[in-house]
Amino acid sequence: MAVDYSTLKKGGFMRQKQKNNFSLRLRVVGGNLTAKQLAKIAEVAEKFGDGYVHLTSRQSVEIPFIKLDDIDEVKNALAEGDVQPGVCGPRVRTITACQGQAICPSGCIDTYALAKELDERYFARELPHKFKFGITGCQNNCLKAEENDLGIKGGIQVKWREKECIGCGVCEKACRKGAISIKDGKIEIDDGKCNFCGRCCKSCPVDAWDTVHGYIVSFGGLFGNSINKGETIIPFIEDKEKLFAICDAAIHFFEDNAKSGERFKFTVDRVGKEKFKEVIMEAYNG
């Protein structure tokens, strides 16, 4: 019986150069695996693979040297440890994320919680070509958001509260963009320089800031045969529902306009950046 390699690849089993051997890509959300999952992965790699795993550049795990005849048994064994195969090919791939606000002092958003929501919403969705989401918690950009088809960066929009301020000047020193200055004892913020890093409010000893935690979204990143830095259309998105509306709009734009085998960036270029911007602004404005 002929082997359906296309279906196997869709289910995360990638052909190796060695005949009837596959490297199995696993479903990992936001870079997190439980101890239970890790134990089961190790067990499967030892029993059915070559005794090791490969950590991919996108926070996934691959188990090489899975034999064709063992595929069903491997999937059943992994399921016992709450581990699922990942995906390859023209569909939404692994959602990557840094540790974010839950762990990192610099984090501005809960990256893992967002990764789980995006995974539930989009993972493995069929599209004209691969589509990658990447989430980074702050302007340190550890996950390099702009490398992704759709990159999400956490940010904090700030507003100074004069009443609580003690004029210590710590915020001015903390700002790396020169967006904060103190004149006649009052804080002035240059909105054109602010990058929503949140260092000012995080450093404030008396919490003299109103804050809104939100998202900076970039579109059209690539880092393979072609390299392109994703571009931002809306400086700051203050609401998660608006974020999801924008993600939906971007996915639908790609779905409706892309040619088979065409990456998102090239679809936007071909159809027109202004037309794409209109779609995103319409989603943002509801």
Side-chain angles (χ1 to χ4, degrees):
M1 186 174 67
V3 179
D4 187 347
Y5 290 109
S6 177
T7 299
L8 286 172
K9 183 177 181 181
K10 180 179 178 180
F13 289 89
M14 300 174 291
R15 293 172 71 177
Q16 294 182 201
K17 60 191 293 185
Q18 296 85 2
K19 187 177 181 180
N20 291 332
N21 280 263
F22 295 82
S23 187
L24 169 58
R25 180 174 295 165
L26 303 178
R27 183 177 183 176
V28 179
V29 182
N32 282 18
L33 288 165
T34 66
K36 178 181 177 181
Q37 288 173 317
L38 285 170
K40 181 56 68 173
I41 292 167
E43 178 186 313
V44 169
E46 189 68 40
K47 184 175 179 180
F48 296 102
D50 210 30
Y52 75 97
V53 301
H54 173 70
L55 304 181
T56 76
S57 61
R58 287 190 58 78
Q59 297 186 327
S60 189
V61 176
E62 291 174 6
I63 308 175
F65 293 100
I66 299 297
K67 306 301 183 287
L68 178 62
D69 292 341
D70 292 335
I71 284 176
D72 288 338
E73 196 172 351
V74 164
K75 288 195 287 187
N76 291 335
L78 288 170
E80 294 172 358
D82 301 329
V83 181
Q84 296 177 333
V87 296
C88 304
R91 47 196 59 89
V92 176
R93 300 291 189 82
T94 295
I95 313 292
T96 61
C98 69
Q99 296 207 74
Q101 182 179 327
I103 300 293
C104 178
S106 298
C108 300
I109 57 172
D110 189 337
T111 52
Y112 181 58
L114 180 58
K116 287 195 293 183
E117 291 182 80
L118 291 173
D119 179 81
E120 291 169 2
R121 197 177 184 99
Y122 301 117
F123 181 73
R125 179 167 173 163
E126 300 288 327
L127 291 170
H129 204 346
K130 69 179 77 169
F131 195 96
K132 298 176 180 179
F133 285 89
I135 308 168
T136 199
C138 68
Q139 286 290 348
N140 290 338
N141 206 8
C142 297
L143 250 290
K144 303 176 180 64
E146 291 87 356
E147 289 183 1
N148 294 269
D149 296 284
L150 196 154
I152 300 170
K153 190 181 297 180
I156 301 177
Q157 196 172 56
V158 297
K159 184 178 180 181
W160 178 56
R161 291 201 307 267
E162 182 177 1
K163 185 178 179 181
E164 283 83 0
C165 182
I166 58 174
C168 65
V170 170
C171 58
E172 183 182 27
K173 295 175 182 176
C175 180
R176 292 173 172 173
K177 305 300 289 186
I180 294 178
S181 58
I182 301 176
K183 294 181 180 179
D184 299 325
K186 293 188 176 183
I187 299 291
E188 292 187 4
I189 302 174
D190 185 335
D191 292 332
K193 292 181 179 179
C194 178
N195 68 348
F196 310 105
C197 71
R199 286 175 57 85
C200 53
C201 61
K202 287 176 181 288
S203 66
C204 181
V206 292
D207 192 26
W209 299 88
D210 289 323
T211 60
V212 176
H213 293 246
Y215 315 93
I216 302 156
V217 178
S218 58
F219 305 94
L222 284 171
F223 212 81
N225 291 312
S226 299
I227 296 176
N228 183 68
K229 181 182 177 182
E231 298 179 18
T232 298
I233 293 174
I234 301 166
F236 185 84
I237 299 164
E238 68 281 1
D239 179 82
K240 189 186 289 186
E241 291 309 310
K242 286 187 178 184
L243 172 67
F244 287 150
I246 286 166
C247 293
D248 285 346
I251 290 280
H252 288 144
F253 183 90
F254 186 45
E255 203 168 34
D256 294 342
N257 293 285
K259 298 177 180 178
S260 179
E262 180 179 61
R263 287 297 294 273
F264 181 51
K265 180 259 191 303
F266 301 121
T267 300
V268 172
D269 287 350
R270 179 174 52 79
V271 176
K273 290 184 178 181
E274 285 304 312
K275 184 173 182 179
F276 177 66
K277 182 177 179 179
E278 289 175 9
V279 169
I280 295 303
M281 292 307 301
E282 183 178 346
Y284 176 74
N285 292 320

